[in-house]
Amino acid sequence: GQNIDQPTEMTATEGAIVQINCTYQTSGFNGLFWYQQHAGEAPTFLSYNVLDGLEEKGRFSSFLSRSKGYSYLLLKELQMKDSASYLCAVMDSNYQLIWGAGTKLIIKP
Amino acid sequence: GAVVSQHPSWVICKSGTSVKIECRSLDFQATTMFWYRQFPKQSLMLMATSNEGSKATYEQGVEKDKFLINHASLTLSTLTVTSAHPEDSSFYICSARIDRPTEAFFGQGTRLTVV
């Protein structure tokens, strides 16, 4: 079966760095997405990785290792507004998105 | 970026009535639209995938006669929850894709409460 695993919840301090991991087992691979979702709102796109390596976009970076079925989202200089759920999603061979359950990130002052 | 507009953002209806939710891609033509539901503190659950002009493909366990999906054009898809019951209360989100493989653009979501 297809499976996406990510931690349920993480806590970090304002100004610090946090890494949210995602491991996957899917039928084929056509890219991995990270989305941010604030409570009561729809997800917003953060990043897309299809090749191995690190993609940096401002305070957010995303890493992919296809051979390991592994990705992480790195958030630097954390701000209180970064408190949200972070969803990992993999596009399978049928170009369908398989969603992880999301990681709730709590930022403390 | 591409904009997907979903309407209404919230709705309260009586048990037994039907509710229609619209999803529009405002500045692009969406080859595929997806409908999700999300219960509190849970991840997105795909309900169905629709392609313009063809019947929607429903996920296992989703009643197609209860959740009617119409994808009449490349910019509009509708989800109708028929004979709604309190257990249908949820957050319904649509997303649209221009082509594969690209990101999915999400609508704002619709909070449905059935009383």
Side-chain angles (χ1 to χ4, degrees):
Chain A
Q2 310 207 85
N3 195 48
I4 309 282
D5 284 319
Q6 49 182 132
T8 304
E9 186 174 298
M10 299 182 71
T11 302
T13 305
E14 189 177 14
I17 299 173
V18 71
Q19 177 175 311
I20 302 174
N21 296 325
C22 171
T23 57
Y24 63 90
Q25 291 178 307
T26 57
S27 302
F29 180 83
N30 278 300
L32 185 144
F33 298 80
W34 283 96
Y35 283 82
Q36 180 191 60
Q37 186 180 26
H38 285 100
E41 299 180 11
T44 55
F45 172 78
L46 290 178
S47 67
Y48 170 65
N49 294 66
V50 67
L51 299 177
D52 289 350
L54 186 68
E55 295 276 347
E56 297 185 78
K57 192 185 294 185
R59 293 189 299 115
F60 293 5
S61 302
S62 57
F63 171 83
L64 174 68
S65 169
R66 288 172 296 171
S67 62
K68 296 182 179 179
Y70 167 71
S71 172
Y72 67 73
L73 179 69
L74 191 71
L75 293 77
K76 302 177 183 177
E77 300 171 15
L78 287 171
Q79 302 174 9
M80 296 304 293
K81 67 179 182 179
D82 297 329
S83 293
S85 286
Y86 291 85
L87 306 174
C88 172
V90 173
M91 187 168 280
D92 68 10
S93 57
N94 293 319
Y95 296 95
Q96 301 285 13
L97 279 176
I98 311 300
W99 292 88
T103 298
K104 182 179 180 181
L105 178 62
I106 299 169
I107 310 295
K108 295 184 175 180
Chain B
V3 178
V4 176
S5 177
Q6 187 173 340
H7 178 81
S9 56
W10 61 271
V11 59
I12 301 173
C13 70
K14 290 185 177 180
S15 185
T17 61
S18 295
V19 174
K20 179 185 284 188
I21 303 170
E22 288 190 351
C23 180
R24 294 181 183 272
S25 55
L26 297 186
D27 51 2
F28 68 98
Q29 292 184 325
T31 56
T32 309
M33 285 189 172
F34 305 88
W35 287 96
Y36 295 88
R37 66 188 300 181
Q38 186 177 34
F39 292 106
K41 300 182 180 181
Q42 295 186 24
S43 188
L44 302 171
M45 291 176 54
L46 180 65
M47 299 175 66
T49 302
S50 72
N51 294 291
E52 184 265 341
S54 61
K55 289 184 178 180
T57 302
Y58 289 80
E59 296 299 300
Q60 193 172 9
V62 178
E63 300 175 58
K64 61 181 181 181
D65 293 331
K66 181 172 182 61
F67 299 99
L68 301 179
I69 292 173
N70 184 291
H71 195 160
S73 74
L74 285 171
T75 60
L76 174 64
S77 176
T78 60
L79 168 67
T80 302
V81 183
T82 62
S83 186
H85 292 286
E87 57 264 31
D88 298 325
S89 297
S90 185
F91 191 48
Y92 291 87
I93 310 173
C94 73
S95 73
R97 194 170 69 195
I98 300 173
D99 202 351
R100 55 177 79 159
T102 64
E103 64 184 275
F105 301 97
F106 284 88
Q108 302 95 317
T110 298
R111 175 75 57 193
L112 170 64
T113 302
V114 184
V115 298

